[in-house]
Amino acid sequence: MSASVLVTGGAGYIGSHTVRLLHQQGYKIVVLDNLVYGHPEAILSDEILLVKGNVGDKNLLRTLFDTHKFEAVLHFAAYAYVGESVTNPSKYYHNNLIEPLALLEVMVEKKCLRFIFSSTCATYGNPVYTPIDENHPQLPINPYGSSKMMLEWVARDFKIAHNLNYVFLRYFNASGASHDAQIGEDHQPETHLIPLVFEAAMGIRPNITVFGTDYDTPDGTCIRDYIHVEDLATAHLRSLERLLQGGDSLICNLGTGNGFSVKEVIQAVEKVSGLQVPVVYGERRAGDPPALVANASRAKQELNWEASYRTVESIVASAWKWHNSAWKGRYANKK
Ligand code: UDP
């Protein structure tokens, strides 16, 4: 396949893994990334054009669409710090909703009508039932989730008005790193559990605080559905193929269907790394539901997609390979 695609946020965590896979599959790729959180070094091939810019820059977009004749857009670019979205909602509505609205408008103008969007289980809010399927009510409890849900609504309305075809991929907890540890999770600042536990194990931070031990779960700590980043990349490839082949719009959860507790993640890190993790047991973090687990059967049915990393050990082992090698370089300077 040699279709030309635009990937916004392609220098970010999930974007860069997807770009790598699409490039291996022969797609012509332009990455548009403002590099606020993205890493240019996560684009592993010179054949991929990296353009530094904003998703809301219509003049830049028009030039890119005219030059590269994109057949589809994969839209990853977003801010994703839930806590910050509560204290600074404007930043999130601007970046995650208003700017992508400009992108959708240019897509319609340039008749590029295939849109694959990184949505999130945060659009569901507190689960009413679990596992969560795509028909679960969407009642987000923070501006991050709201901004993602609202962009889904915009794209849905663009389908009705302009025949835009979309796939919304609602990720559960993205995790892990590339199988060869070339790229991986590298958020600055880091707020996610698995990298923080590794940093505690490696002495980069003094400890990991477990947010709450009195949840109604078997060990009292929160349960999440950790989905490997390369599995997410594969789901994007399948979604792209679907739309290029003329398939219908689709909304899919992406998870393994298995939940693991915070304590299980910490145990897996200790097992895989052979290091001891200094743990502090703390208060609950506001807005954390006890358990978030996907029902991902629609992705299997519609995209022929299933997670290949299914155990907490396999996901954590992949993250460990990356952290252990990255640590020798950049992390060493942080000590
Ligand atoms: N968590 C924790 N300590 C931390 C960070 C996270 O106990 O320092 C817990 C958090 O309460 C949640 C799980 O780990 O239950 C995953 O959190 P993360 O921030 O990685 O992802 P989220 O589920 O919030 O998207």
Side-chain angles (χ1 to χ4, degrees):
M1 175 52 75
S2 63
S4 169
V5 297
L6 176 66
V7 182
T8 74
Y13 175 39
I14 304 163
S16 61
H17 287 79
T18 305
V19 163
R20 186 182 194 196
L21 178 62
L22 296 184
H23 177 250
Q24 285 164 352
Q25 298 290 316
Y27 287 90
K28 294 188 199 122
I29 302 164
V30 176
V31 168
L32 176 62
D33 198 302
N34 63 13
L35 298 179
V36 170
Y37 294 117
H39 305 281
E41 65 273 20
I43 307 290
L44 296 176
S45 167
D46 293 340
E47 289 169 5
I48 298 160
L49 178 63
L50 171 61
V51 177
K52 186 177 176 204
N54 287 322
V55 167
D57 183 343
K58 280 191 156 180
N59 286 335
L60 172 61
L61 289 171
R62 287 189 182 109
T63 305
L64 292 176
F65 276 80
D66 287 343
T67 309
H68 300 283
K69 311 274 183 251
F70 302 124
E71 291 184 49
V73 173
L74 293 96
H75 176 55
F76 294 91
Y79 293 147
Y81 291 105
V82 170
E84 183 188 52
S85 82
V86 176
T87 53
N88 190 358
S90 180
K91 179 172 174 179
Y92 281 71
Y93 288 116
H94 265 288
N95 194 69
N96 296 1
L97 181 65
I98 311 279
E99 296 223 10
L101 176 62
L103 169 66
L104 288 169
E105 286 167 356
V106 173
M107 287 178 68
V108 170
E109 197 180 303
K110 300 297 179 187
K111 301 190 172 40
C112 170
L113 296 173
R114 300 182 186 99
F115 184 64
I116 297 168
F117 173 45
S118 302
S119 190
T120 165
C121 68
T123 62
Y124 295 120
N126 285 319
V128 180
Y129 57 84
T130 182
I132 297 171
D133 61 21
E134 294 81 359
N135 297 320
H136 186 285
Q138 284 183 293
L139 293 167
I141 55 169
N142 52 60
Y144 167 67
S146 300
S147 67
K148 290 279 184 176
M149 186 187 73
M150 288 180 195
L151 191 61
E152 285 191 2
W153 288 5
V154 173
R156 221 177 47 191
D157 290 341
F158 271 48
K159 176 173 176 58
I160 295 164
H162 307 296
N163 208 21
L164 178 93
N165 273 316
Y166 59 74
V167 180
F168 303 152
L169 296 173
R170 295 183 184 150
Y171 315 152
F172 281 64
N173 286 59
S175 50
S178 70
H179 56 281
D180 54 4
Q182 291 267 312
I183 45 177
E185 190 165 11
D186 188 7
H187 298 113
Q188 303 291 339
E190 188 53 78
T191 62
H192 293 111
L193 179 67
I194 294 175
L196 290 180
V197 176
F198 276 119
E199 290 187 9
M202 297 161 94
I204 296 167
R205 59 182 66 236
N207 51 54
I208 179 79
T209 302
V210 174
F211 294 146
T213 52
D214 58 350
Y215 285 98
D216 187 14
T217 58
D219 68 17
T221 66
C222 283
I223 290 175
R224 295 289 179 272
D225 186 335
Y226 295 91
I227 177 72
H228 195 273
V229 66
E230 288 189 331
D231 284 329
L232 293 178
T234 306
H236 287 80
L237 171 64
R238 300 271 161 80
S239 303
L240 179 58
E241 288 168 349
R242 175 189 176 99
L243 292 187
L244 289 173
Q245 286 158 13
D248 287 343
S249 294
L250 179 69
I251 302 173
C252 272
N253 286 339
L254 297 180
T256 63
N258 297 320
F260 299 106
S261 74
V262 175
K263 278 189 181 167
E264 284 174 315
V265 168
I266 293 170
Q267 279 158 12
V269 166
E270 290 189 327
K271 188 169 156 195
V272 159
S273 70
L275 299 170
Q276 229 192 329
V277 179
V279 178
V280 170
Y281 294 100
E283 296 299 310
R284 292 183 178 197
R285 183 172 67 178
D288 266 342
L292 287 172
V293 178
N295 175 339
S297 53
R298 188 188 284 175
K300 183 171 185 197
Q301 203 181 327
E302 295 289 333
L303 296 175
N304 191 25
W305 174 91
E306 242 183 327
S308 59
Y309 290 78
R310 306 194 67 85
T311 62
V312 67
E313 281 85 10
S314 64
I315 289 174
V316 161
S318 133
W320 170 238
K321 236 169 110 183
W322 155 253
H323 280 282
N324 201 20
S325 61
W327 183 71
K328 294 195 173 87
R330 185 175 50 259
Y331 287 148
N333 303 327
K334 271 177 76 178
K335 280 200 99 173

